[in-house]
Amino acid sequence: MAEFETATQLVAAATKTREAGYVDVDAYSPIPIEELHHAIGFPHTKLPLMVLIGGLLGGMGGFSLEYWVSAVAYPLNIGGKPLVSWPMFIPVTFECTILAASLTAVFGMLMLNKLPMPYHPVFNVPRFAMASRNRFFLCIEATDRQFDLDRTREFLTSLDGAHEVTAVAN
Amino acid sequence: MALRETAEQIFPELAQKQRTFLLAGAAGLVLSAVGYTMNPEQFFSSYLLAYMLVLGLTLGALGFVMIHQLSGGAWGVVARQSLGAASRVMPVVTLLFIPIAIGMPHLYEWTHADVVNADPILRGKAAYLNTSFFLVRAAIYFIVWNGLVFLLNKWSKEQDETGNLELPLRMQRVSAGGLLLHVLCVSFAAFDWVMSRDPHWFSTIYGALVLVGQGLVAMAFQIIVLAWLARRKPMSEALTPVYLGDLAGLMFAMVVLWAYMSFSQYLIIWSGNLPEEIMWYLHREQPGWIPLAIVLVVFHFAAPFFLLLMRGIKRNPSLVTKVAMLVIVARVIDLFWLIAPETHHEGFVLSWMDLVLPAAMFALWVGLYFQQLRQRPLLPLNDPQFEEALGPAFAHADHGTAH
């Protein structure tokens, strides 16, 4: 794992790492960096699709609930309107779509990124606490096909702006 | 770097395009003058439709200029010169109102004394809906709009030239009050010019609906033009996929807001089911109008909504341009839906003037817009937000005098 002082250095380093063929790479930054996910070659997640499906299911659920309540369970004549007055169902359908979609987004995100994570090997590096303040970290995981303790350390040291290159014990 | 060059220098072909559009517009207007002699009723109905379209392109731009002054944001730094050019068509748009003032007896039944006298409801509304007060109100709207356009564009030009740091503050202050006045003026203009075509009917959200429609058509037009301008420097550097996505996001927001307000209006009137409110929708249930409503739901809401959900489309200039074109066509159809059924209570009628007049007026407006666009640089000089928004793209450029 290498430490950087600026976001620009981290993005440049991440790009070089990806170009060098490393795949199992992770970057840590105290602030969101727009270009970073592209630089480390972060794959597209399934989250948007999950949110879309969640929203559609929520919408259908909301509409079915309204339909069941007003046409099956409690059929009441209100102002001479038909039992299935769909315009009246739209607000609930809409709200349920939003509710289900946002819940899917939050819990889907937690499921995919496996947070909260009480332990991770990088915590063993004392300076890593700086990742939530003003330092930027790039980590090449030992599970990577190209990983070789000495050569990877050499590679990280060669990156622009890298200092404090450390091997992280599992 | 081409930052200080005017659009004229970067795009010399704009002059030719301007001439073509102005000629096409003038030809269309002359052609529709024939329609006036044949059927003045239809002529003024179509003219109002065309007028509301170009009014929206102008005032929507003015609205976004003021929103950007207050909210900031890189999208506005990229778009503000073009938005300003669109707003500067306002003086001509003011003149184009004259035919509506002349055609009032054909457009508004409340201008006829005998109709008003025979109708207790219209008698009650006569204190507001009468010819002289209508014209006074129109004059107030135009004074406010032209005043805001004049001040903001004058200071924007001064900022380009001097970089005086007083100017952004002054523009912000005027925009804060101006936006409030603008919303009131657009809202009341919508009540006066369009809603009062059915003088018995009222809907308080109507003004906001027209306002959002103006924002939508203006943003769609800006996206098309900016994507085209991004063929050359400096716009090619400035209009990054992210900023284009931001502009498309604003267009998306307007699409959703329009759908939300249109549906709210319908839901409230439908559930209240009161005779004086439902008339407006009953006129639109006459043969042929219902399919138009479905076209609106599909092409003014569903299609742009799902297309603009996708980031890949929002950030792709050629794809988002196609969506923006669809949105402009949908806007014309929506204005047609607001205006035409009041002329044809008997059922769906599409006159050739409903096609020729909006097309001609649009062409005329685009010509005038190009004329304004050519005169200034494509990106603001000395904008305090420039560095933050576009700094990386123009790291080595000299952009302004005040450094």
Side-chain angles (χ1 to χ4, degrees), chain A residues 52-114:
Chain A
L52 178 69
I53 294 172
L56 288 177
L57 286 178
M60 283 190 271
F63 193 90
S64 317
L65 174 72
E66 286 278 287
Y67 181 92
W68 178 76
V69 167
S70 12
V72 182
Y74 302 97
L76 292 175
N77 182 341
I78 299 166
K81 291 196 164 67
L83 290 178
V84 184
S85 293
W86 68 265
M88 238 21 192
F89 298 173
I90 296 294
V92 169
T93 307
F94 171 76
E95 298 296 345
C96 287
T97 309
I98 303 297
L99 180 68
S102 41
L103 288 180
T104 316
V106 173
F107 290 106
M109 178 266 289
L110 291 179
M111 207 180 77
L112 290 179
N113 65 15
K114 303 188 186 81

Side-chain angles (χ1 to χ4, degrees), chain B residues 9-31:
Chain B
Q9 287 163 305
I10 301 165
F11 288 90
E13 67 265 40
L14 274 178
Q16 177 57 39
K17 285 189 190 299
Q18 173 192 330
R19 211 168 315 133
T20 315
F21 273 105
L22 286 178
L23 277 176
L29 287 181
V30 170
L31 181 65

Side-chain angles (χ1 to χ4, degrees), chain B residues 128 137 141 182-194 207:
Chain B
Y128 183 85
R137 285 197 305 275
Y141 309 148
H182 175 70
V183 169
L184 285 173
C185 284
V186 171
S187 200
F188 276 92
F191 296 153
D192 289 0
W193 302 346
V194 194

Side-chain angles (χ1 to χ4, degrees), chain A residues 84-167:
Chain A
V84 184
S85 293
W86 68 265
M88 238 21 192
F89 298 173
I90 296 294
V92 169
T93 307
F94 171 76
E95 298 296 345
C96 287
T97 309
I98 303 297
L99 180 68
S102 41
L103 288 180
T104 316
V106 173
F107 290 106
M109 178 266 289
L110 291 179
M111 207 180 77
L112 290 179
N113 65 15
K114 303 188 186 81
L115 285 176
M117 192 182 287
Y119 174 75
H120 190 282
V122 290
F123 297 155
N124 292 332
V125 180
R127 289 184 64 89
F128 186 71
M130 307 273 276
S132 56
R133 269 179 275 164
N134 59 357
R135 286 293 189 279
F136 302 82
F137 292 85
L138 186 71
C139 183
I140 300 177
E141 316 245 335
T143 48
D144 194 280
R145 274 184 294 114
Q146 291 195 33
F147 187 84
D148 174 284
L149 193 56
D150 294 327
R151 250 183 296 152
T152 303
R153 179 196 292 274
E154 217 169 280
F155 171 75
L156 281 174
T157 318
S158 75
L159 291 171
D160 236 11
H163 55 94
E164 299 283 339
V165 176
T166 27

Side-chain angles (χ1 to χ4, degrees), chain B residues 61 63-81 83 219 222 226 235 238-239 242-248 250 379-380 385 389-390:
Chain B
F64 277 117
V65 165
M66 291 191 285
I67 289 173
H68 168 65
Q69 284 298 339
L70 296 178
S71 74
W75 62 271
V77 179
V78 175
R80 63 177 271 201
Q81 291 286 24
L83 285 167
M219 188 45 78
Q222 294 298 327
L226 290 173
M235 199 47 96
L239 191 73
V242 175
Y243 296 160
L244 182 67
D246 289 350
L247 293 168
L250 281 169
L379 289 170
Q385 289 182 28
L390 302 172

Side-chain angles (χ1 to χ4, degrees), chain B residues 127-354:
Chain B
Y128 183 85
L129 282 184
N130 62 68
T131 307
S132 45
F133 192 29
F134 177 93
L135 292 175
V136 168
R137 285 197 305 275
I140 295 173
Y141 309 148
F142 284 119
I143 289 169
V144 169
W145 291 329
N146 280 298
L148 288 172
V149 167
F150 174 77
L151 286 178
L152 289 169
N153 280 292
K154 177 173 163 265
W155 291 336
S156 178
K157 188 170 182 170
E158 265 178 53
Q159 189 181 38
D160 282 352
E161 284 160 2
T162 66
N164 181 354
L165 288 172
E166 279 277 297
L167 292 165
L169 199 63
R170 235 187 282 169
M171 285 193 273
Q172 263 174 30
R173 287 200 184 124
V174 163
S175 298
L179 205 53
L180 202 66
L181 278 177
H182 175 70
V183 169
L184 285 173
C185 284
V186 171
S187 200
F188 276 92
F191 296 153
D192 289 0
W193 302 346
V194 194
M195 195 171 90
S196 86
R197 298 209 66 214
D198 183 348
H200 295 101
W201 185 74
F202 54 91
S203 162
T204 44
I205 209 170
Y206 197 89
L209 204 49
V210 169
L211 183 79
V212 169
Q214 292 185 341
L216 179 56
V217 78
M219 188 45 78
F221 180 78
Q222 294 298 327
I223 285 173
I224 295 171
V225 174
L226 290 173
W228 184 77
L229 292 173
R231 289 159 178 230
R232 289 180 206 163
K233 283 181 180 176
M235 199 47 96
S236 54
E237 316 272 312
L239 191 73
T240 62
V242 175
Y243 296 160
L244 182 67
D246 289 350
L247 293 168
L250 281 169
M251 180 162 77
F252 175 78
M254 296 288 143
V255 165
V256 178
L257 205 52
W258 174 88
Y260 175 77
M261 288 178 172
S262 306
F263 183 75
S264 307
Q265 175 179 290
Y266 175 71
L267 180 66
I268 290 166
I269 290 177
W270 175 86
S271 55
N273 206 15
L274 299 171
E276 70 267 29
E277 289 183 349
I278 58 172
M279 277 317 290
W280 195 83
Y281 283 106
L282 290 182
H283 288 152
R284 286 158 181 77
E285 276 185 18
Q286 295 304 311
W289 291 117
I290 295 265
L292 199 66
I294 295 167
V295 165
L296 279 178
V297 172
V298 174
F299 292 104
H300 201 307
F301 171 61
F305 177 82
F306 284 106
L307 289 173
L308 292 174
L309 271 184
M310 285 174 258
R311 183 180 280 183
I313 293 182
K314 271 189 286 199
R315 295 186 174 186
N316 179 318
S318 77
L319 291 178
V320 82
T321 297
K322 292 195 180 81
V323 179
M325 285 174 178
L326 168 77
V327 164
I328 291 181
V329 173
R331 277 309 305 149
V332 180
I333 298 174
D334 182 47
L335 288 171
F336 181 68
W337 161 260
L338 293 183
I339 293 167
E342 300 306 332
T343 319
H344 302 287
H345 283 173
E346 70 283 359
F348 179 82
V349 176
L350 177 66
S351 158
W352 62 269
M353 283 183 264
D354 287 326

